[in-house]
Amino acid sequence: MVGLVVVSHSAKAAEGIVEVAAEMGGDTAIEAAGGDGDGVIGTNVDRISDALAAADDGNGVVVLVDLGSAVMNAEVAIEMHDGEAVIADGPVLEGAVNAAVAATDPKATLESVVEQAEAAADIDKT
Amino acid sequence: MSGDAAAVVAAVEAVAERIQAERSHLTDLDSAIGDADHGGNMARGWAEAADAVADLEDPDAQTVVKTAGKTVLSEVGGASGPLYGGSLVFASQELEDGVTPETAVAFAETYLEKVQDRGDASVGDQTMVDALTPAVHTFKKSIETDDLPPLEALAKAVAAAEAGVQFTVPIRASKGRASYLGWRSVGHQDPGATSTLYIMEELLETAADHLDSEVPDVDASSPTIPDAEAAGE
């Protein structure tokens, strides 16, 4: 199955988003990579690398990110990862939920899951 | 260890000491427009990098730069890890044949490209790119067109970086955490441009020590008058 990694500046936010997405995600592997590793707000490339390795069963990983350095650290971690991983250009929470659901489709591919994660940008709330 | 590798090890140590000394100043700059973590993060990361390169056994210059970059990448949280550390790792590919004026120019250009690309930043966004771009352009031209001695070229690059740091003060941030402040970012010196200048100043000091010379007194102006016809442009 395609796996997911949620990268946020806050460890709590990343874990919370994983919690929300997992409710809809069946057996999808969803890993949180939040905070800078020292209990401080930030992102860290080693944490993201570990999460990528844990989420990847060989079918690739979709990475959901929040702001600024989350994007940069995710890019570096993806460059160093032995496998396929893609950053979804969409909102981190809604994208994670969409992607988690999309990954449970038996015909899901890395592309189809990214597409669904990015489609979350168009969700209407009012 | 070859002479250039020893000089690069000394440079990493000098940068670590300088960033530690400027730690609270960098944090003050970052408190004004960012999240107040630049001084602490950079000081920790470069201290670890200095330890890591000191532990290498008979390394070449490329390995020293790569090791320092990897350590900074892992230890410095936030955007500075990938921007400083990731770019060092990437640009170290240019130092396969050691540090010469030619490989130093290639290294500087590759480093700048990676920083621009990773941060998606251009000149005028109030970022480290504002200090790096004039420095790299001035260094390249000083070596390739003006045939200046390397130390003089590096001194000019530092002068250019200094001008770039000053340029970040009166402009509005368009990238990084400061961009969230919009117009309120105007009037503040960018912490990343500032730490980039400190790093370059330490490279210059170390290069001067290594060459047993004094740091030349220069400004960023070119000694040559451009001849468009001769350049075929």
Side-chain angles (χ1 to χ4, degrees), chain A residues 38-58:
Chain A
D38 295 321
V40 180
I41 295 287
T43 57
N44 175 285
V45 70
D46 292 342
R47 283 175 81 80
I48 304 171
S49 291
D50 292 347
L52 284 174
D56 197 353
D57 67 1

Side-chain angles (χ1 to χ4, degrees), chain A residues 9 36 38 40-46 67-76 79-80, chain B residues 35 37 41 44 73-83 86 114 117-119 177 180:
Chain A
H9 277 63
D36 78 341
D38 295 321
V40 180
I41 295 287
T43 57
N44 175 285
V45 70
D46 292 342
L67 311 167
S69 71
V71 184
M72 286 185 226
N73 275 311
E75 283 175 0
V76 175
E79 284 167 21
M80 298 190 305
Chain B
D35 46 7
D37 64 357
N41 281 348
R44 190 182 66 230
L73 177 61
S74 293
E75 298 295 331
V76 182
S80 297
L83 288 171
K114 195 67 184 177
D117 185 44
R118 185 75 76 202
R177 194 64 74 100
Y180 290 90

Side-chain angles (χ1 to χ4, degrees), chain B residues 150-175:
Chain B
L151 200 57
E152 205 170 313
L154 189 54
K156 279 184 168 292
V158 170
E162 217 172 321
V165 170
Q166 290 311 314
F167 172 63
T168 65
V169 176
I171 60 171
R172 178 182 162 165
S174 311
K175 290 285 168 194

Side-chain angles (χ1 to χ4, degrees), chain B:
Chain B
M1 203 185 323
S2 62
D4 59 346
V8 180
V9 170
V12 175
E13 282 164 7
V15 169
E17 275 176 34
R18 178 69 184 278
I19 298 288
Q20 179 59 40
E22 306 282 1
R23 180 184 175 141
S24 54
H25 179 53
L26 290 172
T27 295
D28 287 346
L29 291 175
D30 198 24
S31 316
I33 51 169
D35 46 7
D37 64 357
H38 194 56
N41 281 348
M42 286 284 279
R44 190 182 66 230
W46 282 95
E48 295 276 345
D51 287 348
V53 300
D55 287 345
L56 294 169
E57 272 181 47
D58 194 25
D60 52 30
Q62 185 181 34
T63 307
V64 176
V65 174
K66 205 170 182 174
T67 304
K70 277 189 171 166
T71 312
V72 169
L73 177 61
S74 293
E75 298 295 331
V76 182
S80 297
L83 288 171
Y84 291 84
S87 305
L88 278 181
V89 173
F90 187 76
S92 70
Q93 63 178 293
E94 306 290 353
L95 300 178
E96 208 180 332
D97 299 325
V99 181
T100 67
E102 292 73 28
T103 62
V105 169
F107 171 82
E109 284 191 290
T110 304
Y111 182 90
L112 171 62
E113 275 167 33
K114 195 67 184 177
V115 169
Q116 283 175 320
D117 185 44
R118 185 75 76 202
D120 193 24
S122 312
V123 167
D125 287 341
Q126 200 192 60
T127 71
M128 63 182 73
V129 170
D130 294 330
L132 263 182
T133 304
V136 173
H137 287 189
T138 299
F139 185 59
K140 181 180 170 75
K141 198 234 181 190
S142 298
I143 295 284
E144 292 183 357
T145 305
D146 296 337
D147 281 325
L148 294 179
L151 200 57
E152 205 170 313
L154 189 54
K156 279 184 168 292
V158 170
E162 217 172 321
V165 170
Q166 290 311 314
F167 172 63
T168 65
V169 176
I171 60 171
R172 178 182 162 165
S174 311
K175 290 285 168 194
R177 194 64 74 100
S179 65
Y180 290 90
L181 293 173
W183 288 105
R184 282 184 288 155
S185 61
V186 175
H188 293 283
Q189 183 174 316
D190 179 64
T194 308
S195 58
T196 296
L197 171 64
Y198 294 157
I199 291 170
M200 291 198 54
E201 285 176 347
E202 294 310 314
L203 294 184
L204 175 60
E205 289 288 341
T206 311
D209 281 353
H210 178 65
L211 297 169
D212 227 356
S213 311
E214 294 291 316
V215 171
D217 187 17
V218 296
D219 63 31
S221 313
S222 171
T224 58
I225 297 165
D227 183 344
E229 232 168 277
E233 286 171 3

